[in-house]
Amino acid sequence: MSSPLSLPRAAWPSPRVARTEVLAGLVVALALIPEAISFSIIAGVDPRVGLFSAVTMAVTISLVGGRPAMISAATGAVALVVAPLVRDHGLQFLIAAVLLAGVLQIVLGLLGVARVMRFVPRSVMVGFVNALGILLFTAQLPQLTSVPWLVYPLAAGALAIIFGLPRLTTVVPAPLVAIVVVTVVTVAAGIDVPTVSDEGELPDSLPSLGLPDVPLNWHTLSIIAPYALGMALVGLMESLMTAKLVDELTDTQSSKTRESWGQGVANLVTGFFGGMGGCAMIGQTMINVRSGARTRLSTFLAGAFLLVLVVALGPVVGVIPMAALAAVMVFVSIATFDWHSLRTLRRMPYSETAVMVVTVVVVVATSNLAIGVAVGVLVACVLFARRVAHLVSVVPSDGPDGERVYTVTGALFFASTNDMVGRFDYAGDPDRVRIDLSAAHVWDASSVAVLDAVEHKYATRGKTVQITGLTDVTGHYHRRLAGQLGGGG
């Protein structure tokens, strides 16, 4: 009998696919180094904490995640959330918060939080992608400003290789070739430019397994809980958005539920190794996918290569010019931005364009993808409710036996029923009035309260109202709430 972890022969990648996965993983590992160091500085922890977090997140999510080829590691969004905790209480409380965040993500994942992704409209997704491209580009500006002038020709050369090499061959990922060529030129010519080693000290030993040294009491929980919840929500939102984006880019489907609790497991493992936690990294994921990776192997190897690079080959990695890595990220930012969305701006409805622009502006202003997406979804909901509210009509007609019939059409909810009370002729109508809801649907208590108010206004004039055309669901809803909401007061 085969082991539960064994794979059938058909599941193993072909040599061609394996080569692509290996090379993509190596490129991602190289790109993770400056990012992890930078995010460590943002969070206020030693660079080694961020680097090892990237290793444990990537390796773990490659095994338990729901989206193959997606990269998870220490991220800027999570670093921004936990920075105040580190500043006020130190690293050990951060580790405790990471562990709690992992537990929360597992619980939220099992409860089906991934299903909320269906409520994210396309305009928010486009805004998310465009804002991401802008943030990725602006994040490279510190590496390209106030630096020796030789950085610019090196970065330009790297970009020329990245954009030009695929026209000649795609056997080797162009970003990897660019990094190697620029590094060799810099070392051979003795060019003095900023390198990876200038960003922070690289580790020379493996991380150790342990628990955070904090008091196990309610006071500790009260300190770490808000940060843990913030980490859990921000991490899940960015991870699920990234997974959805990769689904679209690769024309494949992924398990969002598995990805949700998988992120929790990865954060738990990272916490036990003293890491700062993280989530999906859209920039590195784009590098991986654009390099041709499609399986879990590239994600696993990104973590494994990163561990080898920073521990065993630290001196070699340290000489890589930051200009080369910045060029790779500039390429990713350009490839990430949805340029087609700019060409279709005039054709899109005003509300769709407004949602996209709001999402981009909020993300760029806050440097937080989660906040931008949340605001974008909120604006989309408000504009949708406003648009649907105008589709309700109330048409009067003369019925049999001298009664007046009002035919109501559309979705009745809080936004569409605000002015509905004024559409009836209470003084001029006959003693018998019928409101036909056959072409309408009652969605909330506000609509029932409006119908109560209409009935009350007729009743004060000695007239009777009959409401007809209710569906089984709508009828049950109306019978349960009618007269209980104070609509006729």
Side-chain angles (χ1 to χ4, degrees):
M1 180 179 297
S2 63
S3 167
L5 296 178
S6 63
L7 293 174
R9 183 178 298 274
W12 293 99
S14 65
R16 180 175 177 275
V17 172
R19 182 188 65 228
T20 300
E21 299 291 317
V22 170
L23 294 177
L26 179 57
V27 173
V28 171
L30 290 170
L32 277 172
I33 294 173
E35 295 288 316
I37 293 174
S38 299
F39 297 149
S40 299
I41 295 173
I42 292 174
V45 298
D46 190 283
R48 287 171 286 195
V49 174
L51 288 167
F52 283 136
S53 297
V55 171
T56 53
M57 287 292 297
V59 171
T60 305
I61 206 66
S62 71
L63 302 175
V64 301
R67 174 63 259 180
M70 192 166 79
I71 305 297
S72 291
T75 62
V78 171
L80 289 171
V81 172
V82 302
L85 176 63
V86 177
R87 182 184 64 244
D88 297 335
H89 300 281
L91 176 62
Q92 295 303 312
F93 278 83
L94 167 62
I95 297 173
V98 171
L99 294 173
L100 180 56
V103 173
L104 292 175
Q105 287 180 325
I106 293 174
V107 172
L108 291 172
L110 296 177
L111 290 177
V113 69
R115 287 193 291 269
V116 303
M117 286 304 296
R118 72 183 68 178
F119 299 109
V120 179
R122 182 184 179 278
S123 53
V124 175
M125 277 293 297
V126 174
F128 168 82
V129 170
N130 290 344
L132 177 61
I134 295 172
L135 286 182
L136 290 176
F137 179 80
T138 56
Q140 309 316 308
L141 295 181
Q143 306 298 336
L144 300 173
T145 55
S146 301
V147 292
W149 70 270
L150 286 173
V151 167
Y152 302 110
L154 289 174
L159 285 172
I161 294 173
I162 292 172
F163 283 103
L165 184 62
R167 299 183 179 182
L168 303 176
T169 179
T170 57
V171 174
V172 182
L176 178 60
V177 175
I179 292 172
V180 172
V181 170
V182 173
T183 301
V184 170
V185 169
T186 302
V187 173
I191 301 175
D192 184 18
V193 292
T195 61
V196 170
S197 60
D198 296 327
E199 296 295 308
E201 182 182 357
L202 298 177
D204 55 8
S205 62
L206 296 175
S208 57
L209 189 65
L211 292 173
D213 183 17
V214 296
L216 299 179
N217 52 40
W218 289 108
H219 179 65
T220 298
L221 181 62
S222 67
I223 293 174
I224 66 174
Y227 298 99
L229 181 60
M231 288 177 61
L233 294 179
V234 168
L236 285 178
M237 187 176 295
E238 289 208 26
S239 298
L240 294 176
M241 290 288 289
T242 304
K244 186 175 180 180
L245 179 60
V246 177
D247 288 353
E248 295 181 359
L249 290 174
T250 60
D251 291 325
T252 58
Q253 294 298 313
S254 60
S255 173
K256 306 301 187 298
T257 297
R258 178 173 175 178
E259 184 63 37
S260 298
W261 63 256
Q263 289 289 330
V265 173
N267 273 307
L268 276 178
V269 173
T270 300
F272 285 129
F273 279 100
M276 59 181 282
C279 61
M281 297 189 75
I282 184 67
Q284 277 64 30
T285 297
M286 289 298 99
I287 293 176
N288 202 37
V289 173
R290 300 290 184 187
S291 298
R294 294 294 184 271
T295 74
R296 299 176 184 275
L297 180 59
S298 58
T299 306
F300 176 85
L301 290 177
F305 282 145
L306 177 60
L307 182 63
V308 173
L309 287 171
V310 300
V311 175
L313 301 177
V316 176
V317 174
V319 300
I320 296 177
M322 290 302 298
L325 297 178
V328 172
M329 294 306 295
V330 168
F331 159 71
V332 172
S333 70
I334 295 173
T336 299
F337 195 93
D338 186 356
W339 299 99
H340 180 71
S341 65
L342 297 181
R343 294 192 294 270
T344 59
L345 275 179
R346 294 183 178 181
R347 302 178 187 176
M348 296 294 291
Y350 164 77
S351 58
E352 298 285 321
T353 301
V355 170
M356 185 194 73
V357 172
V358 167
T359 303
V360 171
V361 170
V362 174
V363 170
V364 173
T366 63
S367 298
N368 191 311
L369 292 166
I371 293 177
V373 170
V375 173
V377 171
L378 178 61
V379 172
C381 291
V382 172
L383 293 178
F384 175 77
R386 180 176 178 271
R387 186 166 63 249
V388 173
H390 294 297
L391 300 179
V392 173
S393 65
V394 180
V395 180
S397 62
D398 294 328
D401 301 325
E403 72 175 357
R404 177 58 58 91
V405 178
Y406 286 92
T407 302
V408 182
T409 303
L412 304 182
F413 64 108
F414 63 91
S416 64
T417 56
N418 283 333
D419 58 349
M420 185 173 161
V421 177
R423 299 190 184 185
F424 296 86
D425 185 5
Y426 304 102
D429 282 342
D431 292 340
R432 293 175 55 199
V433 176
R434 179 160 60 91
I435 301 176
D436 183 6
L437 298 179
S438 301
H441 192 100
V442 177
W443 286 107
D444 62 3
S446 298
S447 304
V448 177
V450 168
L451 293 174
D452 282 351
V454 172
E455 289 185 275
H456 176 73
K457 287 181 177 294
Y458 278 114
T460 57
R461 292 168 174 80
K463 302 176 182 182
T464 59
V465 175
Q466 181 186 13
I467 297 178
T468 62
L470 294 169
T471 63
D472 292 340
V473 175
T474 301
H476 173 72
Y477 195 65
H478 180 264
R479 288 191 298 272
R480 183 160 57 92
L481 295 177
Q484 306 297 319
L485 302 173

